[in-house]
Amino acid sequence: MAGNLFGKFSGGLENLGGAIGDLVTGISKTVLLKDDPDVMVLEAQREIDGLKKQEAEIFIEIGRQAFAADAQAYPQGEKLRQLQSEIAAAEERVNTLIAQREEAKQASETAEKATLCPSCGHRNQEGVKFCQECGAKLGKTSCASCGAELTAGARFCGSCGQKQPE
Ligand SMILES: [Zn+2]
Ligand SMILES: [Zn+2]
């Protein structure tokens, strides 16, 4: 292709148009990947894989039905039952782990909601308005001037600097 192009270029300017035409054909062949033999092979293989997968699914279903109809007829039955009990045990472990994870998450959420006293650091239970250790005001309040959220007991607003009423 390159040699062919070179020949056409050296053949004179009148051949340049033809050479460019060849070049454009070459480029559009590269762009139209579906004409590429590699791509065609890949697509054909993908189609076979898809069909084989469907075939395998049907065989699996036939196998399930046959085994359900006459389990004694299959020597693999014992191994199968062993696998099934291992699967059940593994599923139980996963469920336990999920439950533990949820519990831990809820515990940490509850701990987060508990109000930390800004004055003495005592962790008070949720909903308490005054520290059960030192009596300081707890919770959130808003700035009397700009409305920014403040920790109860803050003497000045962190947003606008306004001194807060006692
Ligand atoms: Zn306190
Ligand atoms: Zn403010």
Side-chain angles (χ1 to χ4, degrees):
M1 174 81 183
N4 184 26
L5 267 180
F6 184 74
K8 284 189 178 176
F9 274 119
S10 59
L13 262 179
E14 62 273 19
N15 287 329
L16 193 58
I20 290 173
D22 282 357
L23 190 63
V24 168
T25 311
I27 290 169
S28 44
K29 267 188 187 152
T30 317
V31 172
L32 292 172
L33 281 174
K34 60 184 176 194
D35 290 337
D36 185 322
D38 284 347
V39 174
M40 286 164 76
V41 168
L42 263 178
E43 277 179 359
Q45 281 173 339
R46 204 171 296 153
E47 192 188 344
I48 292 169
D49 288 347
L51 292 169
K52 280 187 176 173
K53 200 175 161 225
Q54 289 180 49
E55 183 195 33
E57 279 164 8
I58 291 172
F59 273 129
I60 287 170
E61 190 48 38
I62 291 171
R64 280 188 207 283
Q65 288 173 12
F67 188 72
D70 186 9
Q72 304 302 321
Y74 303 93
Q76 303 94 329
E78 199 185 319
K79 177 73 186 163
L80 187 60
R81 265 186 278 274
Q82 194 192 324
L83 280 172
Q84 284 170 338
S85 79
E86 280 173 26
I87 290 168
E91 281 174 344
E92 210 177 295
R93 277 202 305 278
V94 167
N95 289 336
T96 308
L97 285 171
I98 289 172
Q100 284 172 351
R101 186 179 63 183
E102 282 306 302
E103 233 170 76
K105 211 171 119 190
Q106 275 176 17
S108 84
E109 275 171 10
T110 308
E112 253 171 52
K113 276 185 196 157
T115 318
L116 204 64
C117 174
S119 175
C120 75
H122 181 70
R123 192 174 283 281
N124 293 278
Q125 72 193 63
E126 196 185 346
V128 164
K129 291 195 175 84
F130 295 92
C131 177
Q132 291 168 307
E133 190 64 30
C134 74
K137 203 174 173 208
L138 299 176
K140 300 283 184 198
T141 178
S142 54
C143 172
S145 174
C146 75
E149 190 179 73
L150 299 176
T151 304
R155 294 173 60 213
F156 293 91
C157 172
S159 281
C160 73
Q162 176 70 44
K163 189 174 193 307
Q164 302 300 305
E166 294 296 320

Short mmCIF file of all heavy atoms in Angstrom, two decimals, residues 9 16 33 52-53 56 65 84 118 132 158 164:
data_model
loop_
_atom_site.label_atom_id
_atom_site.label_comp_id
_atom_site.label_asym_id
_atom_site.label_seq_id
_atom_site.Cartn_x
_atom_site.Cartn_y
_atom_site.Cartn_z
N PHE A 9 2.63 8.94 -6.31
CA PHE A 9 3.11 10.31 -6.07
C PHE A 9 4.22 10.67 -7.05
O PHE A 9 4.22 11.73 -7.63
CB PHE A 9 3.63 10.46 -4.63
CG PHE A 9 2.54 10.80 -3.66
CD1 PHE A 9 2.22 9.97 -2.61
CD2 PHE A 9 1.81 11.99 -3.81
CE1 PHE A 9 1.21 10.29 -1.72
CE2 PHE A 9 0.79 12.31 -2.92
CZ PHE A 9 0.50 11.45 -1.88
N LEU A 16 -1.95 12.55 -8.35
CA LEU A 16 -2.10 12.84 -6.92
C LEU A 16 -3.54 12.58 -6.47
O LEU A 16 -3.77 11.99 -5.41
CB LEU A 16 -1.71 14.30 -6.67
CG LEU A 16 -1.51 14.68 -5.21
CD1 LEU A 16 -0.43 13.80 -4.57
CD2 LEU A 16 -1.12 16.15 -5.10
N LEU A 33 -14.60 -0.57 11.35
CA LEU A 33 -13.94 -1.70 12.00
C LEU A 33 -14.64 -3.02 11.74
O LEU A 33 -14.05 -4.08 11.82
CB LEU A 33 -13.85 -1.45 13.50
CG LEU A 33 -12.71 -0.52 13.92
CD1 LEU A 33 -12.79 -0.23 15.40
CD2 LEU A 33 -11.36 -1.10 13.57
N LYS A 52 -23.45 -20.77 23.43
CA LYS A 52 -23.03 -21.85 24.33
C LYS A 52 -23.52 -21.60 25.75
O LYS A 52 -23.83 -22.54 26.49
CB LYS A 52 -21.50 -21.99 24.32
CG LYS A 52 -20.98 -22.75 23.13
CD LYS A 52 -19.50 -23.00 23.25
CE LYS A 52 -19.00 -23.85 22.09
NZ LYS A 52 -17.54 -23.98 22.11
N LYS A 53 -23.57 -20.33 26.14
CA LYS A 53 -24.04 -19.98 27.48
C LYS A 53 -25.52 -20.36 27.61
O LYS A 53 -25.94 -20.93 28.62
CB LYS A 53 -23.84 -18.48 27.71
CG LYS A 53 -23.84 -18.12 29.17
CD LYS A 53 -23.51 -16.65 29.36
CE LYS A 53 -23.98 -16.22 30.75
NZ LYS A 53 -24.66 -14.95 30.73
N ALA A 56 -25.76 -24.07 27.88
CA ALA A 56 -25.38 -24.54 29.22
C ALA A 56 -26.52 -24.31 30.21
O ALA A 56 -26.77 -25.15 31.08
CB ALA A 56 -24.11 -23.82 29.68
N GLN A 65 -33.97 -30.72 36.96
CA GLN A 65 -35.24 -31.46 36.88
C GLN A 65 -35.00 -32.96 37.00
O GLN A 65 -35.72 -33.66 37.72
CB GLN A 65 -35.97 -31.14 35.58
CG GLN A 65 -36.56 -29.73 35.57
CD GLN A 65 -37.13 -29.34 34.21
OE1 GLN A 65 -37.29 -30.19 33.33
NE2 GLN A 65 -37.43 -28.06 34.04
N GLN A 84 -24.40 -28.29 48.71
CA GLN A 84 -25.57 -27.49 49.08
C GLN A 84 -25.54 -27.11 50.56
O GLN A 84 -25.90 -26.00 50.92
CB GLN A 84 -26.86 -28.25 48.73
CG GLN A 84 -27.15 -28.24 47.24
CD GLN A 84 -28.26 -29.18 46.82
OE1 GLN A 84 -28.57 -30.14 47.52
NE2 GLN A 84 -28.85 -28.91 45.66
N PRO A 118 -20.00 20.80 75.28
CA PRO A 118 -18.90 21.64 74.84
C PRO A 118 -18.08 22.17 76.01
O PRO A 118 -16.95 22.60 75.84
CB PRO A 118 -19.59 22.78 74.10
CG PRO A 118 -20.97 22.83 74.66
CD PRO A 118 -21.31 21.45 75.11
N GLN A 132 -25.68 16.61 81.78
CA GLN A 132 -26.03 15.92 83.03
C GLN A 132 -24.83 15.88 83.97
O GLN A 132 -24.94 15.40 85.09
CB GLN A 132 -26.53 14.51 82.70
CG GLN A 132 -27.89 14.55 82.00
CD GLN A 132 -28.29 13.21 81.41
OE1 GLN A 132 -27.53 12.63 80.65
NE2 GLN A 132 -29.46 12.74 81.77
N GLY A 158 -19.73 32.20 64.89
CA GLY A 158 -18.55 31.87 64.10
C GLY A 158 -18.66 32.42 62.68
O GLY A 158 -17.65 32.50 61.97
N GLN A 164 -23.50 36.67 71.24
CA GLN A 164 -24.80 36.05 71.44
C GLN A 164 -25.36 36.40 72.82
O GLN A 164 -24.59 36.50 73.80
CB GLN A 164 -24.68 34.53 71.30
CG GLN A 164 -24.13 34.09 69.95
CD GLN A 164 -24.98 34.53 68.78
OE1 GLN A 164 -26.18 34.25 68.73
NE2 GLN A 164 -24.39 35.25 67.83
#
